[in-house]
Amino acid sequence: MTSTLLKTPSTELQLLAWSRQLQAVRFNEYTALGYLNNAVHKVHSAQTADYSLALRMRASCDGIFSVFLGMLYLHGLRPSGKEGYRALVIQLGSEMLQLTAAERDKITHASAMLQLVTSESPAPLDASLAHSMLALGQRTLVQARQVYPDWFL
């Protein structure tokens, strides 16, 4: 049975696979839906006031990243794990969802900030950035629903 979710990779994605920044994976719908389920759960969890702002920001960032990974997976690809793969996934996901450069940069900055917040020498949390990420998590899901409607059925 052929999946209706599996998409043909764009020329850009094929080139990234050829250069080994992305690698082909065996596709199954269950895993594709798992990425979406994780993203929806994380983004919705980020909206609850029961958690600290730092945890909510983490949940939103994780949800956004799960959407981006899932979108690559819908093309039968995943990052190879080389240095800089998170930035590559954020770049590609942002382009696929037609997010603005400012939104992409905010996601990249938030991802880097979370690395610092959770490291041995934590940096203070930027509350403005955290609130922006909560809204961006919702926007990412809305955009993903428009670009990949079959994924949400």
Side-chain angles (χ1 to χ4, degrees):
M1 180 175 137
T2 304
S3 172
T4 59
L5 293 178
L6 183 60
K7 310 293 181 206
T8 302
S10 66
T11 303
E12 178 185 17
L13 293 177
Q14 290 175 15
L15 181 61
L16 289 167
W18 176 82
S19 68
R20 297 197 161 121
Q21 293 180 62
L22 298 175
Q23 59 188 29
V25 293
R26 177 185 261 185
F27 181 86
N28 75 63
E29 289 189 357
Y30 181 77
T31 301
L33 294 173
Y35 280 111
L36 177 61
N37 181 53
N38 184 53
V40 169
H41 174 73
K42 294 286 188 176
V43 169
H44 286 292
S45 293
Q47 301 305 313
T48 182
D50 293 342
Y51 302 113
S52 71
L53 188 56
L55 286 176
R56 293 170 63 203
M57 180 177 163
R58 163 67 72 190
S60 188
C61 286
D62 287 349
I64 292 168
F65 197 71
S66 187
V67 167
F68 292 168
L69 283 174
M71 291 182 337
L72 286 175
Y73 188 80
L74 289 176
H75 292 88
L77 298 166
R78 71 179 179 110
S80 63
K82 292 182 179 181
E83 186 173 338
Y85 81 91
R86 287 187 70 82
L88 176 65
V89 169
I90 291 169
Q91 174 72 33
L92 292 171
S94 296
E95 288 175 9
M96 292 167 138
L97 294 184
Q98 299 173 346
L99 299 180
T100 67
E103 289 170 324
R104 180 207 58 225
D105 292 347
K106 201 169 278 190
I107 294 166
T108 302
H109 179 68
S111 181
M113 167 83 80
L114 284 171
Q115 293 299 324
L116 291 174
V117 168
T118 58
S119 70
E120 292 179 17
S121 55
L125 179 67
D126 180 343
S128 173
L129 178 62
H131 287 291
S132 294
M133 291 309 300
L134 300 181
L136 263 172
Q138 293 287 353
R139 177 163 156 57
T140 301
L141 287 178
V142 168
Q143 287 296 104
R145 184 182 297 268
Q146 290 176 358
V147 175
Y148 299 99
D150 293 348
W151 197 19
F152 285 80
L153 295 179

